[in-house]
Amino acid sequence: MPHGPLLEALLAGQYICAITNEDYFTKLQRDEVREGLDDYLRPLNRRVATNDEQTVFFLAYRDIDEPAREHLKQQLSVVMSSMLPLLEWLTYVQEAMGSDAILTAGDTIKLQELMVKTEDNPSLRQRLQALANDKFFNSNADAVDAQAKQVAKRLVEHGYLLQPHANRLYFTVTGKIDYLLDLVRFIKDEENIPLDESQSQVELL
Amino acid sequence: MAGQERESQLLSGLFEVGAERLKLIGDHAKLLMQGYLRGSIDVAAVSERSLKRLIAARILYQPDASTEVKLRHPVTQLVAALVTDESRRQIDAGVADKLVAIRGYVEGMREAQRMGDGVRVDSQMLRIEEAVYDLTSQFEEAIFSLWHRLNSNFGFVSNLSDKIRENGRAQQQIKRLIEGLSLIDFDEFIELAEGHPGLRKLLVSRLQQQINTHHGSLLEVQKRLVELMTRFREQQERSLLVVNMAGFLREHPSFAIGDYSYRTQVPRLVNHAAPVLASAGVALDKREQQPALVPLIHSLYKELALKAKVDTASSNSNSIEVNAKQQAVEARQQQLKEDAMQYFIAVCERAQDTQAHDAEPLSALDYLQQQQLSWPPEVWLFQVLGEYNGLPRHEQQLFELYRQEQPASRFNHLYLIADIAVRYQPQSAA
């Protein structure tokens, strides 16, 4: 099999984007590579799937049988329980960094800078504290330093962030964040969640 | 000739007034910059005389009867252009006016040519050159300003909505500029420059080249602005989505999504399969792979040996304790053995003391009690038996062993030994 390590990463349940592994990502963008992998994965009831923008690749079930449905159901409930803390974290970072945009794949986070900005601002401190205490991030530290590190660690564990150097506190946002937002958008449409656009737009300004 | 003199006089007057007023701007640079930033001049910070001079020089003005004094529009524009303050810079695309001016100058020049007024021809030619320069530089300036805004990502306004508005404004400007460019009719210019090589070069070849370049630049900026706008809108959409969804989830803690995974058509995004771990073990069924495996196993041994070393080091104190215990146990065992030997010696002494062949056999349990030994009776009897059996055969024959025993039950032939008695019988050895 020519794409052994790539297959293994996919089989391990990873989301592959241009940030996590550029090499794999370029390969997966090619139709013939994906078709080859699909053929190989057929007996495992898997196929290569992607989001609308083709920025993230992952494995999906080919035929959705009963155990698959059960697994997907459980997985969804895990995602849903972590959704609010993740969204809160995104708005916290946006506000702390005074940025126009929500983090997206390829953005970098300098944790030191984030910590300094949080230290200086009581409202941000409070938000970080609330985030860190959430069971998803699961920190019971009191110091901004420890809280921020724990939050980042959990995000790395869940594949939303990448830490290129283990001993340096800067992180790169992976395509999984975009996947999460795609999912949020999907759920909003699917559940007809009345997000009052005009109202919040005023708030945002 | 008189005309020429009058003109040069006029020009020198213009020069002096201009230089004087520019100097006035320089002298009050700080005051004017404050006025630019605040929107009005702090009257208290400047003397009455200076204020009057600045107003007379058409640098400042008083919009109405109020005491507010402001910078005149061209001065504001000058500052905005000098510091590339994009939020204040205005681009005037009044191409039509300038075209009318150029037409007028060309007519004036033709007229002067017909009348043979060389000086007027030259001065008109100069005006045409200026007007053309004015026309193109205005586009140049506008394009520079647009690129500047684009490259700074509209950084001069602070939030995304303002950026979106500024981007929209810039796109409107481009549209007007392109419309302005389309007003330039080169067929007309070719006609105007008929028979005059200098004019032809100025109005046709050079202008056309410049206008083409500008047109290309404008289209490029437009494309980039549209791209940027798309990005801004995407960012806005994402921000709203995240903020609103977070708000919604906060307000509805018990919100639950539908059973997506049990639908006939499972949504694409949701379908993320469970991980399959591709693990493998060492297999020895392929001889040709063994050379690859051997060093692996060797290195594994080395690792294990290293680990073991670390383990023993850490458990050294432990093993010392164990050793001590073991030594204590051994010492007791030795003592037991010795006591049993003493018992046999006692048996021999008893036989010698009595000098009789039929000395009473010595009971092992009695001996245990007499000597006040601490061994449990069972252990003691076992040791005595063991000691007896451990003797060489010819020595065994010197002792007669009596077992005091009884059957354990009626159903089998198990006998329990209650006591042992030993008698020394030297003659049987003889």
Side-chain angles (χ1 to χ4, degrees), chain B residues 203-419:
Chain B
L203 284 182
V204 184
S205 49
R206 214 163 68 196
L207 188 64
Q208 195 155 29
Q209 199 190 356
Q210 281 168 335
I211 295 299
N212 279 345
T213 317
H214 292 337
H215 200 259
S217 299
L218 282 172
L219 289 181
E220 180 62 27
V221 182
Q222 191 176 38
K223 200 180 97 200
R224 298 272 298 272
L225 280 172
V226 170
E227 279 170 13
L228 192 62
M229 187 69 135
T230 318
R231 222 170 69 215
F232 283 161
R233 292 233 182 265
E234 275 171 13
Q235 288 179 353
Q236 197 179 35
E237 188 266 347
R238 278 168 68 98
S239 295
L240 280 174
L241 183 71
V242 169
V243 170
N244 289 341
M245 191 61 152
F248 177 82
L249 289 175
R250 229 178 289 125
E251 282 170 31
H252 304 82
S254 55
F255 167 74
I257 52 168
D259 235 350
Y260 300 158
S261 60
Y262 280 91
R263 288 188 186 169
T264 17
Q265 199 69 44
V266 173
R268 230 154 52 96
L269 276 175
V270 170
N271 186 357
H272 177 222
V276 178
L277 290 180
S279 58
V282 174
L284 299 172
D285 54 353
K286 281 203 174 172
R287 186 162 274 284
E288 66 272 21
Q289 285 183 352
Q290 283 183 8
L293 286 175
V294 167
L296 236 147
I297 291 168
H298 274 280
S299 68
L300 201 64
Y301 272 136
K302 266 184 211 157
E303 253 173 62
L304 284 175
L306 252 166
K307 233 185 178 173
K309 235 183 214 172
V310 174
D311 283 352
T312 49
S314 72
S315 64
N316 249 354
S317 52
N318 243 353
S319 68
I320 286 170
E321 229 169 86
V322 170
N323 270 348
K325 264 186 197 163
Q326 208 151 8
Q327 276 171 2
V329 169
E330 267 169 24
R332 277 169 70 81
Q333 197 113 41
Q334 199 59 41
Q335 188 59 48
L336 183 62
K337 203 176 156 67
E338 223 140 86
D339 287 349
M341 290 294 281
Q342 285 300 322
Y343 166 71
F344 279 94
I345 290 169
V347 169
C348 294
E349 279 172 355
R350 187 187 175 100
Q352 268 175 356
D353 284 353
T354 50
Q355 291 290 333
H357 298 300
D358 48 357
E360 279 289 299
L362 179 60
S363 152
L365 283 183
D366 287 351
Y367 179 82
L368 186 72
Q369 224 162 11
Q370 277 168 29
Q371 302 293 316
Q372 293 182 338
L373 297 172
S374 59
W375 310 114
E378 210 172 323
V379 172
W380 175 243
L381 291 178
F382 197 78
Q383 186 64 34
V384 170
L385 266 177
E387 213 54 50
Y388 176 79
N389 287 328
L391 291 173
R393 187 150 286 276
H394 66 275
E395 284 181 18
Q396 253 179 26
Q397 285 169 358
L398 293 175
F399 295 96
E400 235 177 289
L401 192 90
Y402 302 95
R403 292 194 185 87
Q404 221 185 83
E405 50 192 10
Q406 56 207 51
S409 105
R410 285 197 291 146
F411 304 107
N412 57 27
H413 295 283
L414 179 70
Y415 286 83
L416 293 178
I417 295 174
D419 193 7

Side-chain angles (χ1 to χ4, degrees), chain A residues 103-123:
Chain A
L103 288 172
T104 182
D107 287 350
T108 53
I109 295 176
K110 293 189 185 102
L111 204 59
Q112 206 65 44
E113 201 181 331
L114 196 61
M115 288 192 278
V116 169
K117 299 211 160 158
T118 307
E119 289 272 16
D120 292 348
N121 184 328
S123 136

Side-chain angles (χ1 to χ4, degrees), chain B residues 96 98-108 183 185 188-189 192:
Chain B
K98 296 203 169 74
L99 289 177
V100 170
I102 292 174
R103 254 178 241 129
Y105 295 141
V106 172
E107 264 167 43
L183 287 179
D185 179 3
E188 188 198 340
F189 279 166
L192 275 176

